[in-house]
Amino acid sequence: MTIIFKNFKELEFEYNNCAPTWKSQNKATNKLGSNLVQLYCLLRDTFFEAHSKKTDIPQDIKTWKHTFVPENLKDSSSDILSLYNYSLSGALDILQEWQKGRQHGYIAYKNINGMRVNAGLVIFEEKNINGKHFVYIVEAGVYERGKGIGHALMDCVLMHYPEKTEFYIGTRIFNKEAIGLYQNCLKFEPLNAEAVKEYMGLDERYRGFAHTTSREELALIRNKISSLN
């Protein structure tokens, strides 16, 4: 399924019921042009870029082992190198989990010089824990922040399910931008620490949020769409 929003006519939001497979566009690229590698880079780079200028990087990230030092960061501080390797490891873990087939995703594509390039991604999974059925939004990231692409990706997930579906999402406590998006723009409500641990398996380093959709909300989302096929 592909969605085009009225205010994002240059983007396509495409549903994937599992992680994209390796598809080399050109043998000479040794598969580096594949969609899967693009998504890996998106997940790695969006987390790293969002937090590389922060002064409150948590201690567990600061002490992450420097297993890889890219050329453009060889003169960077130890904290930045730790953050980069944390981002690298996290991106790999997310894609490996997605490839197991339990998770779904929407990918935002932009047409650049005739090529479809990844602009954003959201991954989600249906869960049933202790009798509670909900949709867990696993990960989201966009290259161009502050332009509404992340909000549009979340709209894709919300309208993927019927009204009165409950959604859960979590983020690191120091990720104030994500917290603001969930609370102020998407109107997600904060969860207590017990619910965050029970339903998302996240510890005290994270904050969790929940939201239940209404008929009116889904109607507003559908009114934003210019094409759905």
Side-chain angles (χ1 to χ4, degrees):
M1 180 171 65
T2 300
I3 300 171
I4 298 176
F5 290 94
K6 294 174 183 177
N7 60 330
F8 286 117
K9 293 184 178 179
E10 76 283 7
L11 294 175
E12 293 183 349
F13 296 80
E14 187 174 274
Y15 169 70
N16 291 257
N17 62 359
C18 61
T21 56
W22 289 96
K23 289 183 180 179
S24 178
Q25 297 176 352
N26 187 317
K27 289 183 179 180
T29 67
N30 195 27
K31 300 183 180 179
L32 291 178
S34 74
N35 198 8
L36 194 61
V37 171
Q38 284 191 45
L39 292 174
Y40 158 72
C41 292
L42 186 152
L43 290 169
R44 179 199 65 194
D45 295 348
T46 54
F47 187 89
F48 177 74
E49 293 298 330
H51 302 300
S52 60
K53 295 181 175 61
K54 291 184 182 294
T55 58
D56 57 346
I57 297 174
Q59 189 63 27
D60 66 300
I61 296 180
K62 287 183 178 181
T63 57
W64 201 267
K65 188 177 180 181
H66 307 166
T67 56
F68 178 69
V69 180
E71 183 67 23
N72 64 316
L73 294 178
K74 65 179 182 179
D75 297 323
S76 299
S77 68
S78 177
D79 287 356
I80 291 298
L81 292 175
S82 293
L83 175 64
Y84 182 83
N85 280 270
Y86 178 88
S87 306
L88 184 155
S89 177
L92 288 174
D93 288 345
I94 290 165
L95 287 179
Q96 287 173 349
E97 193 65 28
W98 192 13
Q99 286 184 313
K100 292 179 181 179
R102 294 190 301 264
Q103 299 174 346
H104 312 263
Y106 276 95
I107 304 172
Y109 292 100
K110 178 180 287 189
N111 189 305
I112 299 179
N113 298 324
M115 294 185 63
R116 295 174 84 221
V117 178
N118 299 143
L121 167 69
V122 61
I123 301 170
F124 54 100
E125 178 180 356
E126 297 174 24
K127 286 182 171 286
N128 197 323
I129 298 177
N130 296 332
K132 176 184 279 293
H133 181 77
F134 61 96
V135 177
Y136 176 36
I137 300 171
V138 178
E139 189 64 42
V142 296
Y143 271 128
E144 297 181 278
R145 289 178 291 147
K147 296 191 175 182
I149 299 174
H151 196 159
L153 283 165
M154 296 295 289
D155 281 346
C156 290
V157 179
L158 297 183
M159 69 166 289
H160 192 82
Y161 294 93
E163 62 181 277
K164 298 183 179 180
T165 299
E166 190 169 9
F167 295 85
Y168 278 30
I169 194 167
T171 189
R172 292 292 296 256
I173 288 175
F174 78 109
N175 193 350
K176 297 178 177 63
E177 293 83 1
I179 291 172
L181 171 66
Y182 304 149
Q183 287 187 300
N184 303 327
C185 296
L186 298 172
K187 307 303 180 185
F188 276 51
E189 298 291 334
L191 290 167
N192 60 42
E194 291 77 14
V196 171
K197 183 176 182 179
E198 180 177 6
Y199 297 115
M200 291 183 282
L202 303 177
D203 58 29
E204 66 278 356
R205 297 173 298 171
Y206 293 81
R207 288 190 64 184
F209 303 87
H211 177 71
T212 302
T213 52
S214 66
R215 179 181 301 181
E216 293 76 17
E217 178 183 21
L218 296 183
L220 288 172
I221 293 174
R222 292 189 182 96
N223 285 336
K224 300 178 185 178
I225 295 172
S226 64
S227 177
L228 174 61
N229 53 59

